[in-house]
Amino acid sequence: MTIDLRVLKPAEWDTWYAALELAFGGVPDTIGETGLMRDLTEFDRSLGVWDGDECVGTAGAFSFRLTVPGGAQVPAAGVTMVSVAATHRRRGVLTSMMRRQLDDVRSWGEPLAVLTASEPVIYGRYGYGVATEQLSAEIDTSRVRISIPEGSDDIRLRRVKPDDPVVRDACEAVYAAEVAGRPGMLGRRPGWERHPVVDAGQVKDGMSALQCVLAERDGEVVGFTLFHNKPEWDRSGPKGTIELRDLYALDPVAYATLWDFLFSIDLTSAVRAGNRPPDDPFQYLVSDIRRCQMRLRDSLHLRPVEVGAALEARTYRTPVDVVLEVTDAFCPWNEGRWRLSGDTKGASCERTADQADLALSVNELGAAYLGGVSLAALARAGRVREIRPGALAEASAAFSSEIAPWLPHGF
């Protein structure tokens, strides 16, 4: 087998993307999704592996800015469109792409790499840890009600076309306001505003075309929801389902009003939400939490590419001064001892010869980085080792986040 790993050329994109689709089952995306991915592909950050004229491996890296604890938006490589042809598995194709990609990310000066995994078992060996979770729910709206704070009379709900440019801009402004306040969210670069509505006019899987409702106060957009309606009937009557795609709001009243609207749509008896924050406030507004059928699953996988720069980029909830002994077999430049000193105002992280206080691998550092996974919990699992008594409690409190980290959409 003669393998050629090289940067993707625009003329190769169709073949490259067809190889990706084939590796994921051979079912093509919709025309809109394919066109969007073509437009968003950053060719100088995308790799292809070729066996003669056949593309047998794909990998890309979007240039994102990721919100971290403290509110900073840190450059991060959004690893995407990774695949290996079924005929070329277990031949080192994936490892060669991961090796080249992380070397590239380091050369670009981006301290973090992030991804969502089709199979979570794959990426741990390349140093990624599960840093965020997503909450799914299927709510029986025939028996569950939403409690709305005072002030809902000031909210006007208005149905609009989701792909109208003016509407899209208004929704993006609400999204952008949310980004600054929650770790794990992505600042969307130009072009990404199309992502939430790429298939707005399409009808699939028995669902309606994408619908959008704005929440307005005094003529200003303070929230919105994007959803599909999936009508169903049985002998007892209608039992349709609302498939929630997005819901954002700038204040609790607008937020609860939008949820109440979804609960009250005629001829439906359920709202299904596939990706909500683990601390989503709807949990504290519903009348019967047991009828919400909630479930958590992994979402964003994160890898510190440059440990020192990554740890300096965020702030810490409580003062911390700790020496970390880091192991990182795949990126050995991260191996060794690092002194992390920081608080709510900032941090420094430099190499040191001092005695280690905690020992952990880069995987655990990635998992804990956004504050959603406790270092203390990882220690109870045997993944973090305390060397200096008291260091674990100090570091675990410092790394924590008041707001649960969350990735609102895939890439």
Side-chain angles (χ1 to χ4, degrees):
M1 181 177 69
T2 302
I3 289 297
D4 179 21
L5 188 159
R6 62 178 184 259
V7 173
L8 181 65
K9 301 174 184 177
E12 298 171 329
W13 190 89
D14 288 341
T15 301
W16 183 84
Y17 197 74
L20 172 69
E21 289 182 326
L22 184 62
F24 276 84
V27 179
D29 288 336
T30 63
I31 294 175
E33 290 170 336
T34 301
L36 177 62
M37 295 315 296
R38 169 72 190 235
D39 292 345
L40 293 176
T41 297
E42 299 179 49
F43 288 93
D44 59 338
R45 297 167 63 95
S46 301
L47 302 171
V49 176
W50 303 81
D51 185 358
D53 294 332
E54 181 185 4
C55 184
V56 298
T58 66
F62 294 123
S63 49
F64 285 139
R65 299 192 73 86
L66 178 77
T67 302
V68 301
Q73 290 195 318
V74 178
V79 176
T80 184
M81 296 184 282
V82 178
S83 74
V84 175
T87 54
H88 287 66
R89 295 179 64 228
R90 298 186 177 91
R91 302 189 191 184
V93 173
L94 179 60
T95 297
S96 68
M97 291 192 296
M98 293 293 100
R99 171 76 280 139
R100 169 65 182 272
Q101 188 176 68
L102 286 170
D103 288 343
D104 285 346
V105 172
R106 186 188 187 200
S107 73
W108 299 330
E110 296 171 2
L112 302 172
V114 294
L115 56 84
T116 60
S118 57
E119 296 180 272
V121 68
I122 293 174
Y123 291 98
R125 64 181 183 264
Y126 303 117
Y128 289 86
V130 179
T132 76
E133 293 181 311
Q134 63 184 48
L135 176 69
S136 63
E138 186 166 351
I139 305 168
D140 180 357
T141 53
S142 69
R143 305 182 71 170
V144 179
R145 294 290 175 265
I146 282 281
S147 175
I148 306 177
E150 293 183 5
S152 62
D153 291 344
D154 297 332
I155 300 294
R156 177 199 179 199
L157 299 181
R158 183 164 63 94
R159 189 181 294 274
V160 294
K161 294 181 179 180
D163 52 356
D164 180 294
V166 175
V167 170
R168 200 164 58 196
D169 289 348
C171 293
E172 280 299 297
V174 174
Y175 173 86
E178 293 276 313
V179 167
R182 186 181 290 275
M185 293 188 72
L186 301 171
R188 290 208 273 246
R189 292 165 56 88
W192 279 93
E193 74 281 354
R194 295 163 52 197
H195 184 271
V197 297
V198 63
D199 56 354
Q202 297 172 8
V203 178
K204 56 183 179 181
D205 300 327
M207 296 189 295
S208 72
L210 187 65
Q211 300 181 47
C212 180
V213 168
L214 302 180
E216 298 175 324
R217 181 186 289 111
D218 299 326
E220 298 293 325
V221 176
V222 293
F224 71 93
T225 182
L226 293 167
F227 62 95
H228 300 274
N229 191 333
K230 187 173 184 179
E232 293 181 276
W233 301 75
D234 62 16
R235 291 184 179 181
S236 64
K239 57 169 192 174
T241 299
I242 298 302
E243 300 278 352
L244 177 61
R245 180 177 292 191
D246 280 336
L247 191 154
Y248 297 96
L250 300 182
D251 60 69
V253 176
Y255 170 88
T257 301
L258 285 167
W259 273 103
D260 183 62
F261 161 75
L262 296 174
F263 276 37
S264 62
I265 294 175
D266 288 341
L267 309 181
T268 67
S269 59
V271 169
R272 184 180 295 128
N275 179 13
R276 301 299 303 166
D279 59 352
D280 197 309
F282 86 80
Q283 301 169 77
Y284 315 113
L285 297 174
V286 294
S287 58
D288 190 343
I289 194 67
R290 294 184 185 178
R291 297 187 184 276
C292 294
Q293 297 186 45
M294 298 190 300
R295 180 181 177 182
L296 287 172
R297 58 159 285 180
D298 68 289
S299 183
L300 187 72
H301 295 227
L302 185 148
R303 189 205 211 286
V305 179
E306 291 280 8
V307 164
L311 293 178
E312 286 184 348
R314 57 156 293 178
T315 62
Y316 295 85
R317 195 171 181 185
T318 58
V320 62
D321 185 10
V322 65
V323 176
L324 305 173
E325 179 84 47
V326 178
T327 57
D328 187 350
F330 201 67
C331 294
W333 59 80
N334 287 322
E335 296 249 358
R337 297 175 188 171
W338 298 85
R339 177 173 290 280
L340 169 66
S341 301
D343 54 25
T344 57
K345 297 179 182 178
S348 65
C349 186
E350 298 178 347
R351 288 198 173 275
T352 182
D354 293 344
Q355 177 68 35
D357 299 320
L358 295 176
L360 73 172
S361 79
V362 73
N363 304 69
E364 284 69 58
L365 202 56
Y369 181 77
L370 294 176
V373 178
S374 162
L375 286 171
L378 291 169
R380 290 193 294 272
R383 305 296 297 274
V384 175
R385 181 167 59 92
E386 183 179 54
I387 300 169
R388 172 175 62 82
L392 178 63
E394 174 189 342
S396 190
F399 270 77
S400 67
S401 172
E402 180 179 357
I403 300 173
W406 175 55
L407 177 71
H409 61 80
F411 50 85

